[in-house]
Every structure is written in C-alpha cells, then in structure tokens.
Amino acid sequence: MRTWPKVKQLSFYFPEYRVIRATQLAISVMPALAVMAASGQLYLYGWEFLPQALTLALFFISLPVQGLLWLGWRARHPLPLSLLDWGNQLSAKLSSMGVSCPPLGAKACYFDMAVLLKTAFERLDANYWEQL
C-alpha cells in the first residue's frame, strides 16, 4: 500500500488507487463505526444480543483487513503481457534518462510495476503522464 504511487491518473488504468483510498478510509473510520454499531445494538436490544453485536463489530473491523489482503494478493499477481510491454518501455525511457531501472522480467508482478511507477512519477515530468 505504501509502494503504489498515490496519483489520480493511475485510477483509470489500475484499481489499486481506489482500493488503497478505500482501505485508508476504512482503517480510520471502521473501528469507531464498529464500536458505535455494537454499542447501539446492545443499548437497543440488551445484553442477550451480545453475540450479534460482536459479529457486527467484527464485520466492520474486517473490512480494512479485506482491503489489505486484496492488495497483498494483487501485489504478487503476475502482470499481463500488455502491462509487461508497457512497463519495459517505461523502464527503457527511465534508463535513457540515466535512472538505474532494470527492465521487468518475464515473471514480473504488480509489486514490480508499483516500484517502477513510483520511480517514474518521481523522475519523469508531468508532460509525459499527460500523453497517456
């Protein structure tokens, strides 16, 4: 989650930007929402609904964990050939500028693409990204 560049232009091509934003929001909001939902249920229905209140609280707490698990799964997912080709072109562009950036190998994954994109957004000017 920290490696992927937080740039809105990438949201049109990759779902990671939206998932990261939603997960960050869920990490900050869901614990409070879980406490409010569980305590509200206990207040309205009494202590005999404690198992249901705990289940509801655990559901709210699990939402950011699901986002983190999806991001971890996606980071190890292999790149499709079209992205692999585009990543190698971007790597060649960075290498021609003097930035040490090895090309993506045949077994490249989305984590490798995230590292490459983060380097590219730090080094390339905004004109390059407007052409996409």
Side-chain angles (χ1 to χ4, degrees):
M1 192 162 84
R2 290 185 214 120
T3 306
W4 193 263
K6 278 94 175 152
V7 181
K8 193 165 179 92
Q9 290 101 336
L10 292 177
S11 68
F12 299 113
Y13 305 106
F14 300 102
E16 280 82 1
Y17 176 79
R18 294 184 299 270
V19 172
I20 288 170
R21 298 275 302 195
T23 302
Q24 287 173 340
L25 178 66
I27 286 172
S28 62
V29 171
M30 287 302 159
L33 196 59
V35 169
M36 287 181 4
S39 62
Q41 196 168 19
L42 288 176
Y43 178 74
L44 289 175
Y45 301 115
W47 285 100
E48 57 272 357
F49 279 81
L50 181 64
Q52 290 88 344
L54 289 176
T55 303
L56 188 63
L58 287 174
F59 169 73
F60 282 122
I61 294 294
S62 75
L63 290 176
V65 174
Q66 291 175 26
L68 292 172
L69 287 173
W70 185 87
L71 287 169
W73 171 82
R74 178 76 171 201
R76 295 294 163 216
H77 198 73
L79 286 174
L81 293 177
S82 59
L83 280 179
L84 187 62
D85 184 45
W86 183 67
N88 283 329
Q89 291 173 3
L90 186 60
S91 177
K93 171 92 172 165
L94 287 171
S95 295
S96 70
M97 292 176 53
V99 178
S100 65
C101 184
L104 297 175
K107 301 228 184 223
C109 58
Y110 278 91
F111 181 76
D112 300 326
M113 180 63 92
V115 171
L116 178 65
L117 286 172
K118 188 169 189 166
T119 304
F121 270 101
E122 291 171 354
R123 301 296 176 115
L124 293 176
D125 59 350
N127 294 332
Y128 178 80
W129 298 110
E130 291 173 1
Q131 295 172 3
L132 292 180

